[in-house]
Amino acid sequence: MFKLLFLTIISVFAKVAYAKKSVFMPPEASVYAHDADKLYAFILNVSAVSFVLIVLCIAYFGFRYRRKTANEKTPHMSHNLKLEIIWTIIPSLIFFFMFGWGWKLWNQARHAPAKALEIFVEGQKWSWGFHYKSGRKSVNEVYVPVNKPVKFIISSKDVIHSLFLPAFRKKQDAVPGRYTSLWIQPTKKGEYYIFCAEFCGTEHSSMIAKLKVVSFKDYANWLANDPYKEMSLSKIGKKVFNTSCAACHNVNDTNKVGPGLGNLWNSKSIFENGESLVADATYIRDSILNPNAKVVKGFPKGVMPTFKGQLSEQQIRGLIEYIKSLKEK
């Protein structure tokens, strides 16, 4: 009976650990993710077996050596050298094995292959900017080729963020004023979420990007193509707004972190210093490039980061046209 109960409990824990990839973890998208999950499953199994053994031992000894009568004395307990050696050496070997396995994975995670494709990542409230060596830039979406090592060189423009790729089991802080790095080698085409794993302000939960894994041919085509080909300035602005501005501004009059932009165009903006201006193209451009020079009354200073160097002239002109079009709707 005791053996049957023990084997049943072990079987349940083992099945739960084996099934955890689909129940508790996102799909694996890299070799490292598969290796990390194997180590995780091993540690989970060892912990489950240890837990069951300890609980069963407590129950057994509690029953076996319970006090049966009021006058009964506790039996004399002596050591057992053989048992002491077994329960010292076996757990130690298991722990050293897990340490060595973890050390190997840590080294694998920290050292990118020498020929890895490099992409510069910059976090800011509340978006991710990606810069390629070809000069191409993107916001909140990054394209990488399948089965090629990719190294992200990471920094931040304002506060500490953390680039988190759950499907790749990788996470790395983005720290202002310094570079950190993280590398992946995707094994499956598809789209994968990128989150910020460091609380960075009121719209922290909106700081979401997508990593798109494509064939090398599609990746090369994407790098070579103009993302705004045959698009009007207003449509370009709408695309930029959705990736760079929507976390803090609404397209109607409802305020968010920043003021709603629905009726901004040609309206009078009153600032904290008492001055005022009519929102024209120059004002919108200055607000994008130097947002803290004129802060609208009722909104905190220093929240909006500058987009200087992040947006091209074409994108800024597109935003101006899009904001202008919101008033006309």
Side-chain angles (χ1 to χ4, degrees):
M1 183 65 184
F2 177 79
K3 287 182 178 179
L4 179 62
L5 176 63
F6 175 76
L7 291 174
T8 302
I9 294 174
I10 293 297
S11 174
V12 169
F13 272 103
K15 287 179 180 177
V16 169
Y18 180 77
K20 59 89 194 165
K21 289 181 184 177
S22 58
V23 176
F24 302 114
M25 307 285 271
E28 298 165 347
S30 68
V31 174
Y32 176 83
H34 178 70
D35 293 343
D37 284 354
K38 283 171 63 179
L39 175 59
Y40 179 82
F42 179 78
I43 294 174
L44 189 64
N45 276 307
V46 169
S47 301
V49 171
S50 301
F51 171 77
V52 171
L53 285 175
I54 291 170
V55 170
L56 290 178
C57 285
I58 291 173
Y60 172 75
F61 286 116
F63 178 79
R64 173 68 176 82
Y65 297 104
R66 72 189 187 282
R67 192 178 187 185
K68 298 173 184 173
T69 62
N71 297 324
E72 185 179 10
K73 293 182 179 179
T74 304
H76 175 68
M77 305 291 290
S78 182
H79 71 282
N80 185 313
L81 182 61
K82 186 178 178 181
L83 276 178
E84 289 174 356
I85 291 175
I86 289 173
W87 68 47
T88 300
I89 291 181
I90 291 179
S92 298
L93 290 175
I94 294 173
F95 291 146
F96 277 117
F97 178 72
M98 289 193 294
F99 174 80
W101 195 348
W103 177 259
K104 180 185 175 186
L105 277 180
W106 183 86
N107 270 298
Q108 181 185 338
R110 298 304 303 172
H111 301 105
K115 294 185 178 179
L117 171 73
E118 292 185 347
I119 299 174
F120 181 77
V121 185
E122 192 169 51
Q124 69 175 59
K125 295 178 179 178
W126 287 275
S127 63
W128 295 103
F130 301 93
H131 305 250
Y132 300 79
K133 287 191 172 180
S134 66
R136 180 81 188 262
K137 301 177 184 176
S138 61
V139 178
N140 284 344
E141 66 174 15
V142 54
Y143 283 77
V144 299
V146 68
N147 292 325
K148 298 285 184 184
V150 179
K151 180 180 180 181
F152 293 115
I153 301 169
I154 307 164
S155 188
S156 170
K157 288 188 71 173
D158 37 43
V159 299
I160 296 178
H161 302 281
S162 188
L163 190 78
F164 179 35
L165 298 96
F168 299 85
R169 314 293 190 263
K170 293 284 185 77
K171 182 173 77 69
Q172 180 62 56
D173 282 355
V175 183
R178 62 175 297 180
Y179 293 127
T180 56
S181 66
L182 171 158
W183 79 277
I184 61 172
Q185 184 164 342
T187 53
K188 295 177 183 175
K189 295 180 187 176
E191 294 187 3
Y192 304 95
Y193 281 108
I194 298 174
F195 299 102
C196 177
E198 184 75 35
F199 181 70
C200 54
T202 53
E203 294 299 317
H204 161 70
S205 60
S206 301
M207 197 168 169
I208 301 173
K210 277 192 176 179
L211 185 146
K212 299 184 178 181
V213 181
V214 297
S215 67
F216 191 82
K217 182 180 178 182
D218 289 342
Y219 170 73
N221 288 336
W222 182 82
L223 275 185
N225 286 339
D226 178 0
Y228 304 126
K229 189 177 181 180
E230 299 181 354
M231 289 177 68
S232 67
L233 275 178
S234 180
K235 287 184 178 177
I236 293 173
K238 184 178 181 180
K239 189 171 183 179
V240 175
F241 180 90
N242 288 335
T243 54
S244 300
C245 314
C248 301
H249 297 280
N250 281 318
V251 293
N252 51 34
D253 288 338
T254 307
N255 294 331
K256 219 171 177 182
V257 177
L261 305 181
N263 282 303
L264 175 65
W265 181 254
N266 267 343
S267 66
K268 187 177 180 181
S269 294
I270 302 173
F271 308 115
E272 285 292 339
N273 60 8
E275 295 179 357
S276 63
L277 271 177
V278 172
D280 56 9
T282 301
Y283 167 66
I284 294 174
R285 177 187 167 83
D286 290 344
S287 298
I288 294 169
L289 300 180
N290 191 13
N292 294 302
K294 293 182 176 66
V295 179
V296 175
K297 190 174 183 180
F299 292 91
K301 188 174 182 179
V303 173
M304 179 171 170
T306 175
F307 284 84
K308 191 174 184 178
Q310 297 290 312
L311 300 179
S312 66
E313 282 299 323
Q314 183 189 31
Q315 290 172 315
I316 294 172
R317 287 200 301 274
L319 275 174
I320 293 170
E321 287 302 315
Y322 180 59
I323 292 171
K324 188 190 298 184
S325 74
L326 296 177
K327 184 71 173 285
E328 297 165 354
K329 287 181 179 177

